[in-house]
Amino acid sequence: MIVMKFGGSSVESRAQIEKVLHIVRARLARRPVVVSSAHKGMTDALINAAKAAATGRFDPSVPVNKQRAVAESLGCAPELLAPFYEEIGDLLRGISLVKELSPRSLDYIASFGERMAVRCIADFFARSGVPARAYDVWDLGFVTDANFGRARPLPGFDARIKAMFAERVPEGIVAIVTGFVGRNEAGEITTVGRNGSDLTATLVAAGLGAEEAQIWSDTDGVMTADPSVVKTARNIPTMRFEEAAELAFFGSRVLHPSTLLPAMEKGIPVRVLNTNRPDHPGTVIDFNTDAASPAVTSIAYRERQVVLKISSTRMFGEVGFLAQVLAVLARHEVVIDVITTSEVSVSMTTDDLGKLSRALPELEQFGACEVLPNRTTLVIVGQGMSKQKGVAAQVLEAMAQAGVNVEMLSYATGSVNLSMVIEDAHVASAVGVLHHSLFEKAR
């Protein structure tokens, strides 16, 4: 059995969904389970309509008409989605009347994209000769906590998924399953976070004990850099889970940051493939390692970060200073990504200026605080960096050639990740020069 996730760009139109049909049909012998995102742009349309309703402007036409256009192009009967259109209108009307959009309501409205998409796709597949049936993932045992916007399945989800799948999915039927969404024990709809269909796919794969989880998007697997920034970026045939996890967290546009964890725990390979070029081998991510692989695997970055610098002579030789600072940040739920220290200062990055601002009054008791917005965390990832001399020097030389000032630098012993902090404005030039130095000159 394989689990195949198709993203929004892969199911945005009839032309794309026909590609998905051919891809799935060619793999019927491997008993595919399909996890689908909403059609491209649908989740944004739903959320924007909800935000407008919260200001008193009731207008469900944009998301409804967008979905109706896709359904009609696929030849779906009008009654297939009519109840969903009505429910969207009722929900938006209620939001417009109370002028309030809670996290619970936001998850509810956002869920319609996947719920409508899987029904259209399953209907189209069935009429095209591939026996398929649509399933909301909660009907297959995906019960989550009540953390709206970032829900996670409750303990024991894998056993529930396996049991419910065996009970509800007949032999020979291709299950078309909603990604991104879930339902808690109270029956309330939740979501696992934006772009979370990847995570749904690997969680389902883990529950079913699949031989492979496939992530189908619009790129040839994981690339050596963001191809929208570096036109010469190329495919990475194989990589380890640790490398892929670092890339996902630090801004790789291919994988959701949490995607790999369920697969890692169950030892299930994850293959990243291109819907528009299904014959391309893509990237396989697993625990295997290639001794001949290069020291550096890829470059990734996270823009719009914030740097906090605390300066104080009290740090010198004081026991527990950093622990106290981190305790304050933890109370305010400030997530720290990169941290560097000296004897009289500590600098760290986060992506939430609002939470950091609320923590500042307490942090100022430790020393002078400086907040620097509009920063980018730029990372170089590679399993072999710690074993090859001169990689860090090569990176810094490239940054100097690009005229980019490195404000922070972090590299742990044996790490697969060298992190730097630069200004947002320098991302394109920095990534381009780094890619040329690390990948193109080495050919």
Side-chain angles (χ1 to χ4, degrees), residues 337-404:
D337 295 328
V338 179
I339 183 166
T340 61
T341 65
S342 73
E343 290 298 338
V344 293
S345 71
V346 56
S347 298
M348 55 196 79
T349 66
T350 184
D351 62 359
D352 196 322
L353 180 57
K355 290 180 179 179
L356 178 59
S357 298
R358 290 190 287 274
L360 278 177
E362 288 186 66
L363 293 171
E364 287 170 345
Q365 67 179 305
F366 298 106
C369 294
E370 184 179 5
V371 176
L372 304 172
N374 304 317
R375 270 19 184 209
T376 288
T377 303
L378 179 60
V379 299
I380 315 300
V381 173
Q383 191 72 30
M385 279 197 299
S386 62
K387 302 173 184 176
Q388 183 168 317
K389 297 178 180 179
V391 175
Q394 188 177 358
V395 167
L396 293 176
E397 181 181 358
M399 298 297 280
Q401 290 174 357
V404 176

Side-chain angles (χ1 to χ4, degrees), residues 222-231 233 243-255 257 298-305 337-338 349 351 374-381 399 404 417-435:
V222 183
M223 308 294 283
T224 50
D226 182 353
S228 68
V229 174
V230 180
K231 302 303 180 185
E243 296 172 302
E246 292 283 354
L247 290 174
F249 182 80
F250 282 103
S252 171
R253 274 56 174 169
V254 177
L255 294 170
S298 186
I299 303 166
Y301 59 90
R302 293 183 71 183
E303 298 171 287
R304 295 179 292 280
Q305 303 299 289
D337 295 328
V338 179
T349 66
D351 62 359
N374 304 317
R375 270 19 184 209
T376 288
T377 303
L378 179 60
V379 299
I380 315 300
V381 173
M399 298 297 280
V404 176
N417 171 3
L418 187 155
S419 302
M420 298 175 287
V421 175
I422 64 174
E423 293 184 12
D424 283 347
H426 297 150
V427 169
S429 58
V431 173
V433 171
L434 275 172
H435 191 273

Side-chain angles (χ1 to χ4, degrees), residues 299-320:
I299 303 166
Y301 59 90
R302 293 183 71 183
E303 298 171 287
R304 295 179 292 280
Q305 303 299 289
V306 181
V307 172
L308 167 67
K309 179 181 178 181
I310 302 176
S311 301
S312 173
T313 53
R314 289 172 48 199
M315 285 186 63
F316 188 81
E318 182 175 335
V319 175

Side-chain angles (χ1 to χ4, degrees), residues 132-259:
R133 187 177 300 176
Y135 292 88
D136 291 318
V137 71
W138 52 76
D139 290 329
L140 298 177
F142 196 82
V143 181
T144 75
D145 56 32
N147 187 13
F148 297 101
R150 285 181 61 90
R152 292 295 181 267
L154 296 178
F157 79 91
D158 45 357
R160 286 193 304 273
I161 286 178
K162 189 171 185 178
M164 296 301 290
F165 192 92
E167 176 184 327
R168 298 191 174 185
V169 182
E171 188 72 25
I173 293 293
V174 177
I176 313 295
V177 184
T178 51
F180 175 57
V181 300
R183 180 176 277 175
N184 63 24
E185 290 182 299
E188 300 165 319
I189 291 176
T190 59
T191 69
V192 300
R194 290 302 300 266
N195 303 312
S197 293
D198 293 354
L199 176 58
T200 305
T202 53
L203 286 166
V204 170
L208 297 176
E211 63 181 89
E212 186 173 89
Q214 299 181 351
I215 307 298
W216 291 82
S217 63
D218 55 4
T219 62
D220 292 335
V222 183
M223 308 294 283
T224 50
D226 182 353
S228 68
V229 174
V230 180
K231 302 303 180 185
T232 53
R234 58 184 188 262
N235 163 264
I236 304 166
T238 61
M239 63 192 312
R240 290 177 59 90
F241 276 122
E242 294 92 333
E243 296 172 302
E246 292 283 354
L247 290 174
F249 182 80
F250 282 103
S252 171
R253 274 56 174 169
V254 177
L255 294 170
H256 183 275
S258 302
T259 296

Side-chain angles (χ1 to χ4, degrees), residues 268-300:
I268 298 173
V270 175
R271 187 183 297 270
V272 184
L273 296 154
N274 189 344
T275 304
N276 301 312
R277 298 214 300 163
D279 294 331
H280 192 284
T283 300
V284 179
I285 304 165
D286 61 19
F287 286 113
N288 295 325
T289 183
D290 181 358
S293 61
V296 176
T297 302
S298 186
I299 303 166

